[in-house]
Amino acid sequence: MSLGYAEKLSYIEDVGSVGMAEFFDPSSVLQEKIEQLAKMIQESKHLVVFTGAGISTSCGIPDFRGPKGIWTLQREGKALPEASLPFHRAMPSITHMALVELEKAGILKFVISQNVDGLHLRSGIPREKLSELHGDSFMESCPSCGIEYLRDFEVETIGLKETSRRCSDLKCGAKLKDTVLDWEDALPDKEMLPAEKHCRMADVVLCLGTSLQITPACNLPLKCLRGGGKIVIVNLQKTPKDKKACLVIHGLVDKVITGVVESLRMRIPPFVRMDEFQIIMTQSSSADKKFVNWTMRVASVHGVKAQLPFIQSIEVSFSDSQKYKAAVLDQQPFNLKRRTLTGESFEILLKINLSDGCGCLSTEINIPFGLNKGSTDCLDLEKDAIIQSMKEKAIQNSSCGQTAVVERRSMSEPTAEVTVYGIVTNIKAFNSESLSNGDVKTVREFATNAIGAVTKPRSSNSRKRKSRVQ
């Protein structure tokens, strides 16, 4: 388990109001408000959604200020929640996926998030339509050329510090930095400016699962008021901005958004998680040319020094089992070295055992060795089409574990072939029952939702974040 975002933050005395009471609108009132919200969304010209910790609690990620929130437990001197699964395996909620559908329909114009869990990006919200005000635990950026790197592992630091990796652009090579803010870090203009712009343009700003206490982020929704826009707040606790809102809904975010989607006669798409890994086959001939010395490395696409968090171990066997001894690779980096006769052809059989949080236990791939040599030097693969096809098959079969080659390239020094595989590691779908009653249920869910890792926002004043909270 990672340290968790909350444990990485610098210590401060005042984190604002915690242990806040939760309120629930009566069923009839809640349904009436849901229908009112659905009508507002349907008639909106520029809908902006502003999200907080409450949008991710159903993903197993605790909030901060609720009765069992991180800061509430800390103030009471109680232990933080135990993580039943790694933070990096958290899956988007029904609300995350509903926002994806609203964006695809052209209704949702922009998302502003105070969360650092990366679930909006993972769900499918385009980066150009998202401001992650407080950063992303799975994102590194290059301070020199500005390239962003979305990782499948949680970046080890917070506070805009240098990480252990460098920019992969050959013209740059600068040291990368994490993107998650600590208490005293200023909100970056790159995230803040588009957020301000879209709030000014908005005719509806929908605030989901946020106590609206963290400044300056909490003041962003107010910017729509000057242009005649309206604010809607969906949260279990009361907020300092409730008086500014035209509609306040006290209910579970997932239940409210499910009701809205049903009213709009829209379908919430399944979430399919794709991960990637690369297999690097390096070869060299012995001095007498009789043998081939080769190394197989199964590595992260983020670099050979990066961990593969979703792979636990690899069982290696060979089509000619009488000649070649099987092996189990259970420590990263996953490397296997062998010497074989020049000109020999066989298959390397890999059983890849997946880690906790993945939707299936294992998957298998076969690697031809010495077969069709040279035919893969310039293989032109339609990566996006292959990935889309894999996702469609996963949804159709309600299963995961599918693999496919999505990229292949050759290197001359040393002689090596790099093959990138895509693998479906999770699929989560929402049935019609969940649309009618608001419960977050799945047709087939291959990972538990109780992730329980620690994540999320902080506090600031103006563009500078400091410990005092409104």
Side-chain angles (χ1 to χ4, degrees):
M1 170 185 164
S2 79
L3 289 174
Y5 161 67
E7 293 176 322
K8 295 177 186 176
L9 283 170
S10 301
Y11 176 78
I12 63 167
E13 287 286 346
D14 182 15
V15 295
S17 300
V18 299
M20 300 166 65
E22 294 180 341
F23 298 87
F24 293 85
D25 289 330
S27 297
S28 59
V29 175
L30 181 63
Q31 185 57 38
E32 188 177 309
K33 289 182 176 181
I34 287 172
E35 292 173 1
Q36 184 181 347
L37 174 58
K39 184 177 181 181
M40 292 177 66
I41 290 175
Q42 188 173 39
E43 295 175 351
S44 68
K45 303 298 183 184
H46 199 95
L47 171 66
V48 172
V49 170
F50 182 85
T51 65
I55 195 178
S56 296
T57 52
S58 64
C59 306
I61 301 172
D63 63 14
F64 285 84
R65 304 175 188 280
K68 296 182 180 179
I70 296 298
W71 292 334
T72 304
L73 295 175
Q74 285 180 335
R75 182 166 291 182
E76 294 173 351
K78 296 179 180 179
L80 297 183
E82 291 288 334
S84 59
L85 284 175
F87 178 32
H88 61 83
R89 295 313 304 179
M91 290 192 290
S93 67
I94 197 170
T95 297
H96 287 99
M97 299 310 297
L99 297 182
V100 171
E101 192 66 7
L102 287 170
E103 186 279 323
K104 287 181 179 177
I107 298 171
L108 175 58
K109 305 301 183 183
F110 202 77
V111 176
I112 304 167
S113 178
Q114 301 169 94
N115 300 339
V116 299
D117 54 31
L119 289 178
H120 282 304
L121 271 181
R122 196 173 294 286
S123 70
I125 294 293
R127 180 67 177 101
E128 65 273 14
K129 294 187 178 181
L130 173 66
S131 280
E132 293 183 301
L133 297 178
H134 299 151
D136 188 327
S137 292
F138 301 93
M139 182 85 75
E140 293 176 285
S141 66
C142 178
S144 179
C145 67
I147 295 178
E148 294 180 328
Y149 296 87
L150 185 61
R151 306 304 194 185
D152 54 20
F153 54 86
E154 186 179 4
V155 177
E156 60 271 22
T157 62
I158 71 166
L160 312 180
K161 298 181 181 69
E162 289 185 351
T163 67
S164 58
R165 291 161 291 277
R166 291 182 176 271
C167 180
S168 60
D169 189 328
L170 297 178
K171 296 179 181 179
C172 181
K175 287 187 175 181
L176 301 179
K177 291 187 175 183
D178 71 71
T179 61
V180 177
L181 307 187
D182 205 343
W183 286 106
E184 293 301 323
D185 293 319
L187 269 65
D189 286 344
K190 181 181 179 182
E191 309 298 332
M192 195 66 170
L193 293 179
E196 291 176 338
K197 171 188 171 183
H198 282 278
C199 283
R200 291 192 185 98
M201 296 170 63
D203 53 0
V204 176
V205 176
L206 174 58
C207 303
L208 300 176
T210 170
S211 62
L212 292 168
Q213 291 194 64
I214 308 300
T215 59
C218 68
N219 293 318
L220 284 170
L222 304 182
K223 295 185 181 296
C224 76
L225 298 176
R226 183 173 294 182
K230 297 178 180 179
I231 298 172
V232 177
I233 298 173
V234 181
N235 200 53
L236 289 179
Q237 299 93 14
K238 295 180 179 180
T239 84
K241 311 298 182 187
D242 285 357
K243 293 180 180 179
K244 301 286 186 179
C246 72
L247 178 63
V248 176
I249 304 176
H250 291 302
L252 295 170
V253 173
D254 284 342
K255 188 167 186 175
V256 172
I257 295 303
T258 295
V260 167
V261 169
E262 183 185 38
S263 295
L264 296 176
R265 299 185 182 278
M266 299 177 73
R267 175 181 172 273
I268 297 179
F271 168 70
V272 178
R273 172 152 180 174
M274 295 284 305
D275 285 289
E276 295 182 1
F277 61 93
Q278 60 181 342
I279 296 180
I280 306 170
M281 295 291 298
T282 305
Q283 300 182 39
S284 62
S285 297
S286 62
D288 58 8
K289 307 296 183 183
K290 291 183 179 180
F291 299 96
V292 175
N293 300 315
W294 55 270
T295 300
M296 180 188 71
R297 170 175 286 187
V298 182
S300 170
V301 294
H302 305 297
V304 293
K305 293 184 179 180
Q307 294 285 297
L308 277 168
F310 58 92
I311 297 182
Q312 181 173 308
S313 64
I314 301 174
E315 299 175 32
V316 186
S317 58
F318 299 87
S319 57
D320 192 341
S321 58
Q322 293 182 341
K323 279 187 178 181
Y324 306 114
K325 185 179 179 181
V328 176
L329 311 179
D330 55 8
Q331 291 187 346
Q332 299 197 36
F334 299 119
N335 290 333
L336 180 71
K337 293 184 178 182
R338 285 288 191 271
R339 167 179 274 206
T340 56
L341 289 171
T342 299
E344 279 192 305
S345 298
F346 51 88
E347 282 194 324
I348 306 172
L349 315 177
L350 302 184
K351 181 183 179 183
I352 300 173
N353 299 310
L354 301 177
S355 303
D356 290 344
C358 294
C360 48
L361 296 176
S362 64
T363 189
E364 297 181 358
I365 61 174
N366 297 345
I367 305 171
F369 186 90
L371 300 172
N372 302 319
K373 189 175 180 180
S375 64
T376 59
D377 287 351
C378 299
L379 184 60
D380 184 18
L381 296 173
E382 293 291 339
K383 183 174 182 178
D384 291 343
I386 294 172
I387 290 176
Q388 184 59 34
S389 176
M390 291 175 68
K391 288 184 176 182
E392 290 172 359
K393 289 178 181 178
I395 294 171
Q396 183 178 2
N397 299 328
S398 295
S399 64
C400 62
Q402 299 88 342
T403 62
V405 176
V406 297
E407 185 180 342
R408 187 173 281 154
R409 60 187 183 275
S410 295
M411 298 188 301
S412 56
E413 293 293 336
T415 302
E417 182 178 288
V418 180
T419 306
V420 178
Y421 288 82
I423 176 173
V424 177
T425 52
N426 287 99
I427 175 172
K428 179 179 179 180
F430 304 94
N431 62 15
S432 58
E433 182 185 356
S434 69
L435 297 184
S436 61
N437 65 19
D439 296 330
V440 184
K441 297 181 180 178
T442 58
V443 173
R444 184 86 175 236
E445 185 171 347
F446 291 91
T448 179
N449 261 346
I451 309 299
V454 229
T455 22
K456 284 174 202 43
R458 51 243 118 198
S459 177
S460 171
N461 184 26
S462 176
R463 291 258 174 107
K464 187 73 176 176
R465 297 153 52 80
K466 58 186 182 183
S467 59
R468 206 181 83 192
V469 185
Q470 279 190 352

